[in-house]
Structures are given as structure tokens and as C-alpha cells.
Amino acid sequence: MRNRGLVSGTLAFFAGFAAVALFGTTALRIGPLLHLNLVEVSWLVAIPTLTGAFLRIPFSLLVDNLGRKTILLQLLLGLLGLLGIIFTLMHLNSLSSQLIYYLLLLFGALAGTGISTFSSGVTYVSYFFPQKEQGKALGIFAGLGNTAPGIFTTLLPFALSYLGLVYSYVAWALFLSIMILIYILVSIDPPFLHFLKEGKTRKDAEALSKSMGLDIVPSHSLSRSLVKALRSPRIWALVFMYLTSFGGFEALTEWLPLYWKSFLHLTPVEAGILTGTIYSLLTAVVRIPGGWISDRINGELVSTIAYLTMIVGSLVFLFAFSLSLAVVAEIIIAVGMGMANGAVFKLVPRYSPTAVSGASGLVGGLGSAGGLLLPPIMGYVATLLNFPASFLVFTILAIISLVLSVLLLRASEAMRA
């Protein structure tokens, strides 16, 4: 039962995250055709990430009532977005430029719903595992799911070369349709929700869940779950920490191709390999041992080590005026971010065991907003100083996150003393 929950949640997140892999390329190609200015192109590029970030909160809460149907709804909305983009691209010559732009904004936002499967998936998977196994389970879920950007960024040039833009979207839509079918066949409701659907009272459902070793159950109400998370200072600390590590991961996925091409003068293919295959995949995969180690020792200590590692990586970037040193910096910061991501979501259900849906929605939704906020800030710093100086943003964020980790670690040790 636990494995089915983990496998179906992981596959759904991987598929949802992969659904928007082509959209950035679409925005850049369509911009000149529609004579869009920089602001309009920026909105087009950002819209899937925007909806993917802020829809995490409501969809995470819905898991407490709808169970596995919540993620299915998100995947179907993502598929609808892909189909809408295909329709729009097939009618470029028959629709007005303004209509095409608004349609791409609409369908891009729908496709971005797939990204929001992260927080609903965290809530869904959490209900299948006890506290002592949360780090490993959520590390596998998020680590494997987060490989989607790296894998599809690597595949993207080949898909575009052989299939073209429209048929690349057709291939993506077929892939997502197959994954939705697999999810329908494999997924099951978490035990607590399954017991409620059988007609058992909440008290009996809690007792049966605890007899299975499951010590995390949904809140009595959606509003109570969110309010409880909002009132927790420790959850707000995790929000900032996750903004640094996962929001930073999203930001660097956008920023590094520009860094490689503009500062170190690499080709687009080389920039794609360094960003997608090395940085993105490494960050995602390291999240798995990050969560597993957090189960063995504690998440606060792992996050402390992780943010120290991030600081080292960002400082190396400041002095990386050669490709070899820049790659070393990229690897160091990727390891730090991956470990931090795994540790933070080990702590979410521990700090908020009766409000996991609200807490994971807040941490995942607001934390991922870093992917929207950080690239413009880095661009501003690079304009004022130089490209390497842009990584000072991560030095500052990682120092603040390190301080928060140490404070959480001391509080945890004091409680155990």
C-alpha cells in the first residue's frame, strides 16, 4: 500500500513537472512573430511557474478531502493546457496576434497546474508513511520528480529537431496522457481517507491508521490546517529556507543557461548540458539521500550542513572566471540545494503533523516563488557589477537560511534534553 502511494505520487509529480518543459522555448519563438515586447515575453515565460507555485496551496489542502482525485484533477488540467497550446500553435496564421498571446497565457497557466502537483503530492505521500520514514519517502518523491526539468531540458533540442514545435507538444501530450492512465490504475487513497470513505468515524479512522504505524492524519478542516500552519513560526522559517534552496533551484535553472552563454561564451547545446544534465539532475538526485540522512540523524542538522555547502558554492562562483572553476561551483551549490530540499520537507510533517496539507502548501507554494523573484534580482546585480557577482544573492540567502537552521537545531536539541 505504501509503495503504491509513493510510486503513483512520484509518477504524477514527474509527469506534471515535465508538462511545461517546452513552454519557455515556445515563448521565445513566438515573441518575435507576435512582435511582443520584453515585458510581454517575460509574462509568457513566467505564467506556468506562477500558477504552479500559487496553486500549490489550495490543491495541497484539497487532498484532505478528495485524496488521490486531487492530483488527477491537476494532471487533467495540465493536459488541457497542453492541448490548448497545440490548438493555438496550429492556428498561428488564422488568429490575431493579440488573441494568440492571450490564448498562450491561458493555456500556459493551465499547463502550469502540473507543477503544483508537488505540494499535493507531498501531502498525499505523507499520509502513507510514519514520521520516522518521512525523509526517505519525500526525498524519493521529490528527488525523482524533480529530475523532470533536467531530463526534458536535455531531450528538448532533439525533440525540436526531429518533430518541430507543434509535434513536440503532441508527443508531450501523449506522454502525459499515458502517465495519467498509469496514475489512475496505480493510485489509491491514503489509509485514513480510505477508512472514512468506508463509513468509519474520524476517531475510528485515526485509531486504525495508528495501528498501522501511521502517525500523520489530515486536519479536521481545510481552514484549520491552513491557519495552524500560518501561525507556526517554524513553518515560516521553512518557507524562507525552501525559497533559498528550491526557489533557488528553479532560479538557477533559468539563470545558468544565460550565465554559460553570456559570460563564458558556451554554445546553447553546451549550456543546456551543463544546466540540465549536470546541475538540474544532480540537485534532484541529491535530494533523495538528503531526505534519507535526515531520517537517520535529524533534518535540522542536515539543513545546517546543506546551507553551509550552498554558501561555499556561491562564493566559488564569485571567483569563477574559468569554465572548470564554474563547473566546480555548480556541483557544490547543486549538492547543497539538493540536501537542503530533502531536509526541509522532512521537517514539514514533523513540525505540523496535524496540518500537513496547509504546511506543505505554504512551504511548497511560497518557497517556490523564489523561482520568480530571484532571476530579476540576479539580473539587476549582474548589470550593476558583473555576472559572477549575481551569485552574492545566494550567499546572502544561504547565510540567513543557515542561521534559521541553527536556531531550529538548538530548539530541537533543547526539546530532547
Side-chain angles (χ1 to χ4, degrees):
M1 179 180 288
R2 291 179 183 178
N3 288 337
R4 284 184 67 178
L6 178 57
V7 169
S8 58
T10 303
L11 288 176
F13 177 41
F14 179 88
F17 212 164
V20 296
L22 271 170
F23 198 72
T25 301
T26 303
L28 294 176
R29 288 193 175 193
I30 294 297
L33 294 177
L34 303 183
H35 306 291
L36 302 178
N37 60 43
L38 184 58
V39 173
E40 290 170 328
V41 173
S42 298
W43 271 110
L44 208 53
V45 171
I47 195 68
T49 307
L50 189 66
T51 54
F54 293 108
L55 286 178
R56 290 182 178 193
I57 297 174
F59 278 119
S60 179
L61 292 169
L62 281 176
V63 174
D64 286 0
N65 283 348
L66 300 181
R68 71 188 191 109
K69 292 179 181 177
T70 303
I71 298 175
L72 177 60
L73 173 61
Q74 291 168 280
L75 294 177
L76 289 172
L77 288 173
L79 178 59
L80 180 61
L82 287 182
L83 295 175
I85 293 169
I86 293 170
F87 169 83
T88 305
L89 294 177
M90 291 178 67
H91 292 83
L92 285 178
N93 297 323
S94 57
L95 299 174
S96 70
S97 296
Q98 189 175 38
L99 180 57
I100 291 170
Y101 178 69
Y102 288 127
L103 286 175
L104 287 176
L105 281 175
L106 170 63
F107 294 127
L110 279 174
T113 308
I115 303 176
S116 67
T117 52
F118 172 74
S119 289
S120 55
V122 166
T123 303
Y124 173 76
V125 171
S126 290
Y127 292 150
F128 285 95
F129 292 87
Q131 282 280 3
K132 63 182 179 180
E133 296 180 25
Q134 289 289 316
K136 180 183 71 174
L138 296 180
I140 292 171
F141 161 77
L144 295 182
N146 271 328
T147 61
I151 292 174
F152 285 91
T153 298
T154 305
L155 293 176
L156 188 54
F158 300 100
L160 291 171
S161 297
Y162 287 102
L163 301 174
L165 188 59
V166 174
Y167 285 102
S168 292
Y169 269 107
V170 172
W172 252 250
L174 288 173
F175 163 77
L176 184 55
S177 299
I178 293 170
M179 297 299 279
I180 289 173
L181 180 60
I182 293 173
Y183 177 79
I184 292 172
L185 295 174
V186 175
S187 66
I188 53 176
D189 278 319
F192 180 87
L193 296 176
H194 177 74
F195 295 142
L196 289 181
K197 289 182 179 180
E198 285 183 338
K200 293 181 172 57
T201 65
R202 181 179 176 86
K203 185 177 180 180
D204 288 341
E206 286 186 13
L208 287 168
S209 295
K210 288 179 180 178
S211 71
M212 300 171 65
L214 304 178
D215 46 7
I216 298 175
V217 296
S219 176
H220 287 274
S221 71
L222 302 184
S223 59
R224 187 177 300 179
S225 178
L226 183 58
V227 169
K228 194 166 187 177
L230 284 168
R231 289 177 176 174
S232 170
R234 292 189 298 180
I235 293 301
W236 282 107
L238 295 183
V239 167
F240 187 90
M241 291 159 63
Y242 201 61
L243 184 147
T244 299
S245 54
F246 185 75
F249 164 69
E250 292 181 311
L252 279 189
T253 301
E254 300 171 33
W255 181 255
L256 282 174
L258 182 62
Y259 170 80
W260 298 124
K261 289 184 286 186
S262 300
F263 181 65
L264 293 174
H265 310 295
L266 302 185
T267 66
V269 172
E270 291 169 332
I273 291 172
L274 284 173
T275 302
T277 306
I278 296 180
Y279 169 74
S280 186
L281 282 178
L282 179 60
T283 306
V285 171
V286 168
R287 185 166 186 158
I288 300 173
W292 182 81
I293 295 170
S294 296
D295 282 337
R296 297 300 179 270
I297 45 178
N298 64 67
E300 295 92 347
L301 180 57
V302 174
S303 68
T304 300
I305 296 169
Y307 290 114
L308 271 172
T309 306
M310 274 190 67
I311 292 170
V312 172
S314 65
L315 291 175
V316 174
F317 259 123
L318 293 179
F319 303 98
F321 292 94
S322 67
L323 176 61
S324 57
L325 195 56
V327 171
V328 170
E330 176 185 53
I331 291 172
I332 295 172
I333 205 167
V335 170
M337 284 181 170
M339 288 178 61
N341 288 336
V344 167
F345 262 92
K346 158 66 178 180
L347 297 174
V348 169
R350 184 153 76 83
Y351 287 168
S352 196
T354 59
V356 172
S357 59
S360 64
L362 277 177
V363 175
L366 298 184
S368 66
L372 297 171
L373 301 174
L374 297 181
I377 296 173
M378 295 178 74
Y380 183 70
V381 175
T383 302
L384 283 179
L385 301 172
N386 55 40
F387 259 105
S390 64
F391 292 94
L392 274 171
V393 173
F394 283 101
T395 307
I396 295 168
L397 290 175
I399 288 173
I400 297 172
S401 295
L402 174 63
V403 171
L404 292 172
S405 294
V406 171
L407 291 174
L408 292 175
L409 177 60
R410 288 181 177 177
S412 176
E413 291 174 343
M415 289 176 65
R416 287 196 294 267

